[in-house]
């Protein structure tokens, strides 16, 4: 990333020090009371001329100047080659416990910049001190024009000492742009907006990301009664910036007005009814409220609630009883309130209606047999929507029955449940439990992987794996959702088209230059960075919270300093531990999702029985799957071409290798956490799992750890599968 601002400027403007010579006078106290005592919406239009609101300019030398002409802040430097920074500090004392918005027009003309490294910038800043004056800080939303070897460039972005990473976007075409910062007093988060419509615009605001400051605000005491301040800054290093060539104007601040809303838990849930609960604070403005609910987070139905009074300033408990629900279903709901300040919605939450009682006709005894070395339990017909769980016991005594593997959901057809048969093992008794509870909810195309421990690593006897698969260790993995299929080219294209028009400007086409194999084949020839950007794009396209950030939502470029918001409900890559637990499908100690041997009836891989005793394909030399070897790489297969594992996941081995979130480390198992491990810090490459159509049986084992190389690599053997955290 290019350097946005020279070091001397950042030292002055990004620290946003308290102005000299201006204290917390009675005038400031009166202003604070005026803008914060009322709870209704307050709009302040500022022309920079009110001495009660603004300090005098801070100047880096006597030759610099900052002037106000006709309500417009102009920046001037008459000395050739002299850098300057002029700032004014606004003390309207924006409250930390209420929502507000501040916006300004930022203008830069085509300036007389001819020498390298000249620049001119205008900035909208936010600063604060909290309870500790020494804990002050801030950030700037900037408009920046500068010269480099390519000529004159014009960018905008955000940077500051309290931001973990800056962001910028290049290529502005208009001299007038709008910069806007919204503060959410409930979430304690800043959202940055950009508008290229020109002076006094605002008709096409585009969000550039949200920065959550809650934990930091707690640390420095930024709570109720604490305030933020606004600064405006001009800076330059060039011969002259004449009045009218660089300015800030039309500063507008909107304070408060929005209702405060919390979605509570659902109570009294039956097969067809539920009571939804929550709280609303109208914040002094006439407010209406309702619950939205439905089988998805698109809702579709509403239930109004009564506020009394509807313009009060205290928190009110509200509830609504809804009826006509379907039995055994998971419902989404949230509380929404609207007043003249806007609409505020609480968190999306879920509840599950109870299932219908089990009827005697549903109790069908399973047939038990042995097929291909496995025990088979066959229910014909299964009951659609019912949960089946295989259990075993050595005595049949009460309290000795244990669940085996996954929960299977009936679909009305024949249901076959298999577990490995071990000749000579001690006598065991088996039974199939039928539950009247609703099937666990999962997003469409996903399976719920239940929380719990599993054994991770090579558990073959004798060992057939590599040293990086040891030691075998118990890992607890929180519940999450795993995509049933690898991401297809068809899915990639739909999200990519949306992303290219919404800031994800470098998403590759994929499956190029290799032959087209079909819309339902997995996407390939995309690198790791493109995969996680695509995850964010799909999340935003569907109204979910993106997982991957630098300081803002990750959209472009190759960046190894990403963080993952594990509590977000958007799409992401699985961790290595999540992948292995999901791949095992509820089985323990097996080489593959279905057992200890593999052949072409199980997966699309390169078979060779002469090399691996557990490859039962019968081939005596490396042989691709004959159904997919058409002479043109890649020899991929349509997703779902083979039987699923115990969790209902397809192609967990073979077809495309699947990249995970984790950085690979050959000795990581020696020190990995026992709960939700998420990889080390080696940065030698991301983990690759599951083998591929091009790899052998050894590489397709569920314990096999692959090194995917540099994340920039894109190849026709790498694809990916989606995961989602089990959150609302």
């Amino acid at each position: 990333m290019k350097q946005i601002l020279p070091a001397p400027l950042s030292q002055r403007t990004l620290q946003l020090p308290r102005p000299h010579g201006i204290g917390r006078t009675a005038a400031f106290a009166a202003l604070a009371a005026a803008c914060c005592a009322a709870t209704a919406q307050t709009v302040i239009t500022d022309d920079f001329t009110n001495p009660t609101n603004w300090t005098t300019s801070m100047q880096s030398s006597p030759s610099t100047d900052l002037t106000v002409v006709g309500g417009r802040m102009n920046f001037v430097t008459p000395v050739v080659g002299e850098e300057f920074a002029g700032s004014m500090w606004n003390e309207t004392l924006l409250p930390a416990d209420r929502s507000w918005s501040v916006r300004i027009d930022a203008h830069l003309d085509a300036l007389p910049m001819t020498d390298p490294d000249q620049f001119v910038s205008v900035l909208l800043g936010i600063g604060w001190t909290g309870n500790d004056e020494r804990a002050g800080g801030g950030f700037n939303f900037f408009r920046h024009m500068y010269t480099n070897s390519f000529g004159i460039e014009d960018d905008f972005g955000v940077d500051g000492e309290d931001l973990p990473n800056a962001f910028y976007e290049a290529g502005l075409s208009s001299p007038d742009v709008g910069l806007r910062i919204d503060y959410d007093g409930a979430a304690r988060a800043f959202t940055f907006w950009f508008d290229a419509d020109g002076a006094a615009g605002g008709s096409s605001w585009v969000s550039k990301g949200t920065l959550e400051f809650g934990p930091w605000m707690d640390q420095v005491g930024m709570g109720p009664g604490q305030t933020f301040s606004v600064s405006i800054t001009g800076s330059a290093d060039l011969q002259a910036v004449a009045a009218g060539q660089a300015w800030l104007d039309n500063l507008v601040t909107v304070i408060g007005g929005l209702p405060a809303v919390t979605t509570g838990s659902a109570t009294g849930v039956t097969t067809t009814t539920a009571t939804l609960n929550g709280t609303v604070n109208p914040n002094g403005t006439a407010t209406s409220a309702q619950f939205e609910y439905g089988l998805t987070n698109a809702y579709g139905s509403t239930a109004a609630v009564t506020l009394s009074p509807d313009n009060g300033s205290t928190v009110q408990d509200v509830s609504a009883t809804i009826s006509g629900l379907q039995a055994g279903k998971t419902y989404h709901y949230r509380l929404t309130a609207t007043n003249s300040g806007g609409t505020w919605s609480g968190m999306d939450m879920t509840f599950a209606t109870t299932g219908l009682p089990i009827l005697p006709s549903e109790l069908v005894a399973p047939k038990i047999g042995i097929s291909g070395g496995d025990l088979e339990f066959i229910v014909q017909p299964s009951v659609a929507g019912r949960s089946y769980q295989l259990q075993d016991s050595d005595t049949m005594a009460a309290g000795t029955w244990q669940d085996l593997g996954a929960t299977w959901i009936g679909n009305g057809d024949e249901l076959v449940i298999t577990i490995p048969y071990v000749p000579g093992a001690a006598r065991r008794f088996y039974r199939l439990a039928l539950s009247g509870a609703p099937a666990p909810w999962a997003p469409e195309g996903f399976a719920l992987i239940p929380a719990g421990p599993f054994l991770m690593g090579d558990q073959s006897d004798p060992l057939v794996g590599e040293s990086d698969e040891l030691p075998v260790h118990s890992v607890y993995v929180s519940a999450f959702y795993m995509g049933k299929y690898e991401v297809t080219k068809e899915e990639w294209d739909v999200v990519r088209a949306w992303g290219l028009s919404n800031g994800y400007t470098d998403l590759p086409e994929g499956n190029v230059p290799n032959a087209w194999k079909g819309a339902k084949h997995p996407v390939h020839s995309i690198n790791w960075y493109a995969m996680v950007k695509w995850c964010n794009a799909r999340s935003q396209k569907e109204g979910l919270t993106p997982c991957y950030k630098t300081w803002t939502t990750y959209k472009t470029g190759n960046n190894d300093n990403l963080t993952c918001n594990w509590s977000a409900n958007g799409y992401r890559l699985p961790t290595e531990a999540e992948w292995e637990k999901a791949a095992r499908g509820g089985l323990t100690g097996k080489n593959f999702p279905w057992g200890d041997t593999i052949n072409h009836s199980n997966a699309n891989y390169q078979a060779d029985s002469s090399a691996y005793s557990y490859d039962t394909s019968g081939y005596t030399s490396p042989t691709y799957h004959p159904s997919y070897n058409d002479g043109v790489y890649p020899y991929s297969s349509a997703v779902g071409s083979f039987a699923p594992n115990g969790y209902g996941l397809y192609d967990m081995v073979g077809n495309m290798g699947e990249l995970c979130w984790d950085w690979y480390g050959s000795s990581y198992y020696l020190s990995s956490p026992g709960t939700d491990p998420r990889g080390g810090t080696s940065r030698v490459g991301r983990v690759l799992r599951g083998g591929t159509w091009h790899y052998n049986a050894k590489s397709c084992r569920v314990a096999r750890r692959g090194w995917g190389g540099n994340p920039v690599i894109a190849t026709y053997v790498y694809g990916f599968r989606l995961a989602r955290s089990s959150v609302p």
Side-chain angles (χ1 to χ4, degrees):
M1 178 181 295
K2 63 175 71 71
Q3 179 68 35
I4 298 303
L5 297 174
L9 175 62
S10 64
Q11 291 170 6
R12 284 194 297 275
T13 61
L14 298 187
Q15 293 175 2
L16 296 177
R18 288 187 54 81
H20 298 289
I22 300 286
R24 295 191 180 277
T25 62
F28 285 134
L31 178 63
C35 72
C36 301
T39 54
Q41 186 181 83
T42 301
V43 180
I44 303 172
T45 301
D46 204 307
D47 62 2
F48 316 118
T49 60
N50 186 343
T52 303
N53 294 357
W54 293 94
T55 72
T56 57
S57 63
M58 295 186 295
Q59 301 177 353
S60 61
S61 77
S63 61
T64 63
D65 198 7
L66 178 153
T67 62
V68 176
V69 179
R72 175 176 294 164
M73 186 66 64
N74 297 288
F75 306 98
V76 179
T77 176
V79 179
V80 175
E82 180 164 326
E83 178 184 332
F84 81 99
S87 296
M88 291 184 73
W89 187 274
N90 176 295
E91 296 227 13
T92 42
L93 303 180
L94 302 175
D97 52 356
R98 296 184 63 197
S99 298
W100 46 262
S101 175
V102 59
R103 68 180 184 266
I104 199 166
D105 293 327
H107 174 100
L108 293 180
D109 269 339
L111 299 164
M113 295 189 292
T114 57
D115 298 328
D117 300 322
Q118 290 183 324
F119 71 90
V120 61
S121 300
V122 287
L123 306 95
L124 173 64
I126 298 295
W128 53 84
T129 56
N131 288 329
D132 185 350
E133 294 288 341
R134 295 167 299 174
F139 54 79
N140 288 319
F141 200 1
F142 64 80
R143 173 85 186 276
H144 184 59
M145 184 179 288
Y146 59 97
T147 56
N148 58 23
S149 58
F150 300 102
I152 297 177
E153 296 198 26
D154 192 0
D155 299 349
F156 70 96
V158 174
D159 66 359
E161 62 180 8
D162 294 301
L163 304 186
N165 290 285
F167 92 89
Y168 76 96
E169 293 191 22
L172 301 184
S173 59
S174 169
D176 292 286
V177 299
L179 305 176
R180 182 178 117 210
I181 302 172
D182 289 354
Y183 174 69
D184 180 340
R188 298 189 297 176
F190 296 92
T191 301
F192 302 92
W193 301 82
F194 173 80
D195 171 40
D197 273 356
S203 61
S204 59
W205 290 105
V206 177
S207 173
K208 292 301 177 181
T210 297
L211 176 67
E212 297 176 357
F213 257 88
W216 184 90
M217 291 172 65
D218 289 336
Q219 181 180 353
V220 300
M222 281 294 293
Q226 300 302 309
T227 56
F228 298 93
S229 296
V230 177
S231 70
I232 54 174
T233 301
S235 56
D237 181 5
L238 67 161
Q239 179 173 349
V241 182
Q245 288 185 309
W247 70 64
L248 293 168
D249 63 2
N250 297 316
L251 179 66
V252 179
T253 303
V254 180
I255 303 175
L258 286 170
V261 176
T262 301
T263 307
S265 60
T267 57
V269 180
T270 68
T271 55
T272 59
T273 63
T275 298
L276 310 181
N277 303 285
T279 65
V280 177
N281 184 343
N283 272 331
T285 303
T287 298
S288 61
Q290 63 181 9
F291 284 98
E292 300 174 282
Y293 65 95
L295 292 173
T296 70
N297 58 7
Y299 310 109
S301 299
T302 60
V305 298
T306 300
L307 299 175
S308 181
D310 67 359
N311 62 347
S313 299
T314 59
V315 175
Q316 301 182 34
D317 294 323
V318 296
S319 64
T321 298
I322 56 178
S323 59
L325 307 177
Q326 301 179 44
K329 297 291 185 180
T330 297
Y331 281 83
H332 290 254
Y333 68 101
R334 70 178 181 183
L335 179 59
T336 297
T338 301
N339 63 19
S340 59
T343 297
W344 199 269
S345 297
M347 179 181 293
D348 176 271
M349 299 186 70
T350 61
F351 67 88
T353 54
T354 56
L356 295 172
I358 297 175
L359 303 176
S361 60
E362 296 177 343
L363 299 174
V364 179
K367 300 177 182 179
I368 303 177
I370 299 177
S371 175
D374 293 329
L375 286 174
E376 285 189 343
F377 298 80
I378 304 173
V379 180
Q380 176 60 36
S382 63
V383 181
R386 295 299 198 197
S387 302
Y388 291 84
Q389 177 61 252
L390 187 62
Q391 301 174 330
D392 74 345
S393 169
D394 56 358
T395 65
M396 292 196 297
T400 64
W401 291 98
Q402 296 182 333
D403 292 342
L404 298 175
T407 298
W408 298 73
I409 309 303
N411 60 4
D413 299 324
E414 181 179 275
L415 177 65
V416 180
I417 301 174
T418 63
I419 63 169
Y421 169 66
V422 182
R427 182 184 66 176
R428 304 292 294 173
F429 298 93
Y430 295 90
R431 72 181 185 185
L432 198 59
L434 177 63
S435 172
W441 180 85
E444 184 177 357
F446 286 76
L448 175 66
I449 311 302
F454 80 104
L455 289 179
M456 188 172 185
D458 181 17
Q459 299 156 55
S460 55
D461 187 14
L463 294 175
V464 298
E466 304 291 342
S467 60
D468 64 350
E469 302 169 23
L470 298 173
V472 175
H473 54 295
S474 179
V475 175
Y476 181 93
V477 174
S478 300
F480 70 102
Y481 302 115
M482 189 73 145
K484 293 182 179 180
Y485 307 98
E486 294 170 329
V487 173
T488 65
K489 182 62 164 66
E490 179 180 55
E491 293 172 315
W492 178 269
D493 288 345
V494 171
V495 174
R496 176 177 180 264
W498 181 91
L500 292 176
S501 300
N502 289 273
Y504 296 86
T505 56
D506 58 1
L507 289 176
E509 184 175 351
N511 296 35
V512 174
N514 307 296
W516 169 259
K517 293 298 179 78
K520 300 298 184 183
H521 282 236
V523 68
H524 59 81
S525 300
I526 53 174
N527 66 29
W528 185 91
Y529 302 108
M531 295 175 188
V532 297
K533 285 180 284 191
W534 188 92
C535 289
N536 274 358
R538 178 168 173 180
S539 299
Q540 290 195 305
K541 180 177 181 292
E542 298 180 10
L544 303 175
T545 302
C547 295
Y548 299 113
K549 291 186 175 183
T550 50
W551 80 269
T552 188
T553 301
Y554 178 45
K555 291 186 175 183
T556 59
N558 298 339
N559 194 323
D560 289 331
N561 297 315
L562 299 179
T563 60
C564 181
N565 179 1
W566 302 100
S567 63
N569 62 0
Y571 299 101
R572 58 177 176 82
L573 299 183
T575 66
E576 184 179 19
E578 288 175 333
W579 189 96
E580 185 168 327
K581 178 174 182 177
R584 290 186 177 278
L587 300 182
T588 300
K590 300 302 174 182
N591 284 333
F592 304 101
W594 51 83
D596 278 327
T597 62
I598 187 174
N599 58 58
H600 276 159
S601 68
N602 306 125
N604 179 10
Y605 73 107
Q606 189 182 71
D608 186 358
S609 294
S610 66
Y612 307 104
S613 61
Y614 45 85
D615 186 334
T616 60
S617 63
Y619 295 107
T620 57
S621 62
T623 304
Y624 293 112
H625 200 297
S627 297
Y628 309 111
N629 181 358
D630 59 2
V632 180
Y633 281 177
Y635 302 155
S636 62
S637 47
V639 300
S641 295
F642 300 89
N645 72 359
Y647 288 137
L649 307 177
Y650 297 82
D651 301 311
M652 289 303 294
V653 298
N655 215 10
M656 287 294 160
E658 299 178 11
L659 286 167
C660 298
W661 162 257
D662 310 43
W663 290 106
Y664 173 81
S666 60
S667 59
Y668 180 61
Y669 283 8
L670 295 174
S671 58
S672 61
T675 298
D676 293 327
R678 291 163 181 165
T681 58
S682 65
R683 299 200 176 194
V684 298
R686 301 286 179 171
V687 170
L688 180 72
R689 284 298 200 125
T692 80
W693 60 269
H694 190 57
Y695 291 3
N696 56 35
K698 184 175 183 178
S699 297
C700 289
R701 294 175 305 106
V702 291
R704 181 61 182 266
R705 307 181 66 218
W707 172 60
N710 191 310
V712 77
I713 293 174
T715 173
Y716 50 53
V717 295
Y718 290 0
F720 70 112
R721 183 184 302 264
L722 296 175
R724 285 181 64 181
S725 297
S726 179
V727 295

